[in-house]
Amino acid sequence: MARFDGLVILVLAATGLLLAGCATDYSKKPAPAIADATTVKDSAFDAQVRYTGPTLRTERRRGLFMDYHSVSLRSFVDKKNGQSTNQIYVVLSYVGGWRFYQTASFEGGVQRELLAIDRNVDFCNGGFCAYTETLGIQLTDAELESAVSGMKIRLNAKSGHESFIELPAN
């Protein structure tokens, strides 16, 4: 059993290194650097232009294991009418059982349903499994504009777990 525990911790540590990699900490960069790191996807096949900001990565210890969060801001602009929709794109990786994240709570008590984009079992070994949930949180232009000091959000799971994400003002 001790060998298995070491294997799981080694795999999780490797996953964390892969997630962290040589990533730039965009939470401390000025707004022009964020703009430079934003990608634009547009083609004749798309009805919308997609803007994706750089990814912010965080981790949180839960007992022996770590939760890994990757968060980015995406905006979709309709090519015909210029209207935009905004989304916080979240990828959560963790060990244990399925959590099934369902809602997001904003400071001040506003709660919103999460869009479940994808759910995967990354691996299982000896009864332990690693999972990834990819989620979307819809935001209005007004919510983005009012987040002059950043935005803190609690993600609420059916399992009772809570995860916290933060988008800095930049």
Side-chain angles (χ1 to χ4, degrees):
M1 185 71 168
R3 182 172 165 252
F4 171 71
D5 289 342
L7 175 65
V8 169
I9 291 170
L10 178 64
V11 169
L12 289 174
T15 303
L17 289 174
L18 237 152
L19 287 171
C22 297
T24 300
D25 183 1
Y26 285 102
S27 67
K28 295 177 174 60
K29 295 285 185 186
I34 303 299
D36 289 344
T38 298
T39 60
V40 179
K41 182 182 179 220
D42 186 16
S43 77
F45 299 98
D46 299 319
Q48 300 172 324
V49 179
R50 181 174 69 196
Y51 298 88
T52 304
T55 301
L56 301 173
R57 292 176 175 84
T58 59
E59 55 189 51
R60 177 181 176 201
R61 178 166 297 286
R62 288 190 194 263
L64 293 175
F65 302 108
M66 299 291 284
D67 286 359
Y68 297 96
H69 306 153
S70 296
V71 181
S72 58
L73 183 60
R74 305 191 310 178
S75 291
F76 304 87
V77 179
D78 188 290
K79 290 181 184 181
K80 289 184 181 177
N81 63 21
Q83 291 185 337
S84 65
T85 57
N86 309 296
Q87 180 184 78
I88 299 172
Y89 184 79
V90 182
V91 179
L92 298 158
S93 298
Y94 55 87
V95 173
W98 279 112
R99 294 185 185 165
F100 296 108
Y101 286 92
Q102 296 178 321
T103 60
S105 296
F106 294 84
E107 288 182 303
V110 174
Q111 197 169 67
R112 179 164 302 138
E113 293 290 318
L114 292 171
L115 170 65
I117 296 171
D118 197 17
R119 289 188 170 113
N120 290 306
V121 177
D122 298 325
F123 71 88
C124 288
N125 191 346
F128 280 103
C129 296
Y131 302 92
T132 298
E133 293 190 51
T134 304
L135 312 165
I137 307 167
Q138 298 303 117
L139 295 176
T140 65
D141 287 340
E143 287 171 320
L144 281 179
E145 291 166 8
S146 68
V148 293
S149 61
M151 187 178 285
K152 294 178 184 175
I153 303 167
R154 183 184 70 206
L155 305 177
N156 310 300
K158 182 178 179 181
S159 66
H161 288 87
E162 296 175 339
S163 291
F164 295 87
I165 61 171
E166 187 172 345
L167 289 174
N170 62 346

